[in-house]
Amino acid sequence: MELPPKKKTSLMWKALGGVVAGGVAFLVVDGYLADPEPVSAPDRTITLEVSSLPRMTGEQRTEYLATLSTIDQGLVVNEDRAVSRGESTCLDIQQGVPEGQVLKNLEARITEGDTTVKVEGAALILDAVKAWCR
């Protein structure tokens, strides 16, 4: 007995069949890997204590800026920045940072501004901060 001749399947149908089979396989695997229920964040509130930055009063600010201007006029070109850096230095002091490190931090803060102050100037600025920082 003779078998009927095989039908030739076009290359396009073979490619389409491969794409469909791949898509089905992807969906099956994806279904096994996916979580059935999304995980939600725990329902609780976390409260963190944040140290408040020490703030100068109006009179302290005036005296502090006057002292800085006698050290170098460039220190007070931007008064708000100068005050902010003084308050950050006060926070270092209040947190018990060793004075040598406070001076290094202060020198780095000031150098970013309109002037560069070396260790001697940083020591004078630190004295100005200590005058109001408690």
Side-chain angles (χ1 to χ4, degrees), residues 61 65 68 73-85 113-114:
R61 178 185 168 105
L65 292 172
L68 292 186
Q73 285 292 318
L75 294 171
V76 294
V77 169
N78 183 332
E79 292 181 355
D80 290 335
R81 182 175 55 212
V83 168
S84 172
R85 290 177 176 169
D114 298 304

Side-chain angles (χ1 to χ4, degrees), residues 9-23:
T9 308
S10 74
L11 185 59
M12 183 181 83
W13 284 108
K14 287 180 181 178
L16 184 60
V19 170
V20 170

